[in-house]
Every structure is written in C-alpha cells, then in structure tokens.
Amino acid sequence: MMITRRRLMGTAAFAAAMAALPPARGLAQTATPLTRTIPSSGEPIPAVGLGTWITFNVGDDPELRAECADVMAAFFAAGGRMIDSSPMYGSSQAVVGQGLERLGRPDALFSAEKVWTSSAADGPAQIEQTRRRWGVERFDLVQVHNLLGWEAHLATLLEMKAQGQLRYVGITTSEGRRHDLFEEVMRRQPLDFVQLSYNPLDREAERRLLPLAAERGIAVIVNRPFRQGALTRRLDGAPLPGWAGELGATSWAQVILKFILAHPAVTVAIPATTRVDHVRENLAAAGGVLPDAALRERIAAHIGAL
C-alpha cells in the first residue's frame, strides 16, 4: 500500500518504508539506473532527475508538502540524485528543503538551483537565501535562469566556484527561447551545464545547441520533457506501438524519456511530478534499451502524427 502521509513516522522509519515499497505495477525497476558523465569533471550522474516547476509550488499546505516528500523519498530510493529548482518556482525551494530534512538529508542529493534576478547586486543574497531554504552546505550546481542578468551572475558564480562555494556553473532556457544568445554564451563562457527544452516535438536544440554542448564538453539538462504534462495528456489513450515493448517501455512517458536520453549529448532529463508512481516510472525509463537514431525518428514521427 502506498504511503501518502508520514507525519506520525520518524525520518528513518519513513525513508525505510518508502525504500521497501514494491515497484509500481507494470514497471521494470532497475537497481543500477543509467548514468551519464559530467564532461567537465568525469563525475557520473543518474540520467533522470526531478524537476519542481509547478509540482512543488504547494504553499504551506501540510498534506501537499507531505506528498512532495513522498515523491522525493521514492526518487532517492529508485537511485535518483539531481533535484532542480529556482527562485521563480514559488514555494518549491522551501518544500524541497522540508522534504530533505524529513528524509534525513540523503547523501545522494545533487542539488541544482538557479539565480533569477535582474539585479547583479542581489544575486549573492538570493543564492544565500536559497541555500538556507534547502538547508544544504553548498549547492552542487547554480544556473543563471533564463539568462536574466547573465553576464554579472556568471561572474559571481564562477568566482563562487573558484572559492569552493559551489561545484558547477550553468545557464538555462526553456521553450526554445533566445537560442541565438544561448549559443553565444555557450561558445564564450566556461560552462559546466546548460539546461534547455527538448522532446520528440520540440527538437530545435538538435540543430546547434546539442552538437555544440558535445563539442564544448558541456553537460545538458533537459527540462519540460512532457511539455508540462501537455504531451502525455495528448497521448493519453493512444495505444503503444509494438516497438515500445522492444525498448522495455510500458508508457508514453517512458517512450518520451527514452527518446530524450538516447541523444548522446543529453546528460539528465528532469521531469516534474506530484506522484510516487510517476517518479518511479520516470526513473525506470533509464533502464533497458534506448532507441537508435532510426527508431528515434520513428518515435518523433509517430508522436507528431497523433
């Protein structure tokens, strides 16, 4: 039976209970999820992370916050590491911090955050406020969100990295915005990560950004893999083709994630969810077979026609 509340349970008991839950029906779980290497360091990272845009913006509602902690517990139990958030995401940062506290602050965590302010002077204070909300000693990765004030903020982040106050530096965009400027920054700056939108219908990044990331040795985080749920809703009820079974995919969400992860430049995809069964399903997509280039084209064409 799925645990949806754990306010009466201790931290250790809750984490142990979540780890002991059986796999969601129909999912082939893997004890060793697919990992990718961060080019700038050689560090391995599981290829499916956890986004928090909208899904973790639940305000102060204790039951919804508990459900977010359930999702985080299932995420770590399935081998996940990267959790990504932003000051733009409402209460998401505080919700992540509360979840980490209740789970005993898992050592596996790879913390990915953003700076998002037009004021260069306000950047350091915002990052520090975010760090306190998460309750971490330092962030693994801080990214300039949507290139807002990118020149000043990148200078700040690179100095923080040099001082050992964070491990990696990056920039983000979404929904295909500002790709020309994004490419320019990728070419000029010593970035560890870029974050962008990519899925079987949104493939503009394939033209220049993904090849450039591979050329420059920059890790790629993929946001909006499901178009904020619109893509999976569009496919709801459509039968899975036979080749989905050959990939070990039991859902359209897994087909989409396998399409994304099969691109050689992609490092981590960060689907967001409010459900324990979905977070397990997403991480299970990193197991088994990934499509080759020909099948990726078939997947994109099939989904585009539905």
Side-chain angles (χ1 to χ4, degrees), residues 12-289:
F14 173 64
M18 287 304 299
L21 287 176
R25 185 176 300 170
L27 295 185
Q29 296 288 323
T30 175
T32 54
L34 174 70
T35 61
R36 292 285 166 78
T37 299
I38 300 171
S40 65
S41 67
E43 177 184 0
I45 185 82
V48 176
L50 180 65
T52 60
W53 168 235
I54 296 182
T55 52
F56 276 36
N57 184 18
V58 298
D60 294 324
D61 187 300
E63 294 189 356
L64 295 179
R65 284 190 171 215
E67 290 174 3
C68 290
D70 293 349
V71 167
M72 293 171 62
F75 173 73
F76 287 119
R81 288 192 61 202
M82 179 184 286
I83 298 179
D84 177 88
S85 194
S86 169
M88 191 182 99
Y89 299 171
S91 64
S92 295
Q93 296 173 326
V95 171
V96 169
Q98 182 177 340
L100 292 174
E101 181 178 3
R102 292 185 178 184
L103 296 176
R105 305 204 171 277
D107 292 337
L109 172 68
F110 186 103
S111 52
E113 255 296 346
K114 304 179 185 77
V115 56
W116 184 67
T117 173
S118 58
S119 168
D122 290 344
Q126 184 185 76
I127 296 167
E128 174 58 20
Q129 181 183 56
T130 297
R131 187 195 65 78
R132 290 198 301 268
R133 287 173 176 163
W134 280 60
V136 295
E137 182 176 346
R138 65 174 182 175
F139 286 113
D140 292 295
L141 165 65
V142 179
Q143 307 149 92
V144 181
H145 197 173
N146 288 336
L147 295 177
L148 183 63
W150 70 268
E151 291 177 292
H153 293 318
L154 263 187
T156 295
L157 297 181
L158 290 169
E159 177 61 24
M160 290 179 66
K161 179 183 175 182
Q163 296 297 322
Q165 297 171 330
L166 59 89
R167 300 174 61 218
Y168 300 107
V169 170
I171 58 174
T172 81
T173 188
S174 62
E175 302 180 71
R177 292 175 292 193
R178 306 183 75 183
H179 276 195
D180 288 344
L181 177 58
F182 204 79
E183 178 183 1
E184 179 184 342
V185 179
M186 288 177 67
R187 291 188 182 279
R188 291 171 46 195
Q189 299 294 327
L191 303 173
D192 300 297
F193 279 86
V194 293
Q195 182 178 145
L196 47 82
S197 298
Y198 181 58
N199 58 62
L201 297 185
D202 299 310
R203 302 180 64 183
E204 182 185 343
E206 289 180 353
R207 294 176 53 241
R208 291 182 299 178
L209 299 188
L210 291 176
L212 180 59
E215 175 188 325
R216 296 272 294 161
I218 301 172
V220 175
I221 301 171
V222 171
N223 60 37
R224 294 175 58 90
F226 306 140
R227 286 187 165 183
Q228 205 172 304
L231 183 51
T232 46
R233 288 192 297 271
R234 166 178 171 167
L235 297 169
D236 188 36
L240 286 172
W243 42 254
E246 296 173 12
L247 295 173
T250 61
S251 69
W252 280 112
Q254 291 189 335
V255 169
I256 293 165
L257 287 172
K258 284 177 176 290
F259 170 92
I260 293 168
L261 297 177
H263 194 291
V266 169
T267 310
V268 183
I270 50 168
T273 183
T274 60
R275 291 172 45 173
V276 165
D277 59 333
H278 283 176
V279 79
R280 287 195 179 122
E281 178 183 357
N282 293 339
L283 270 83
V289 180

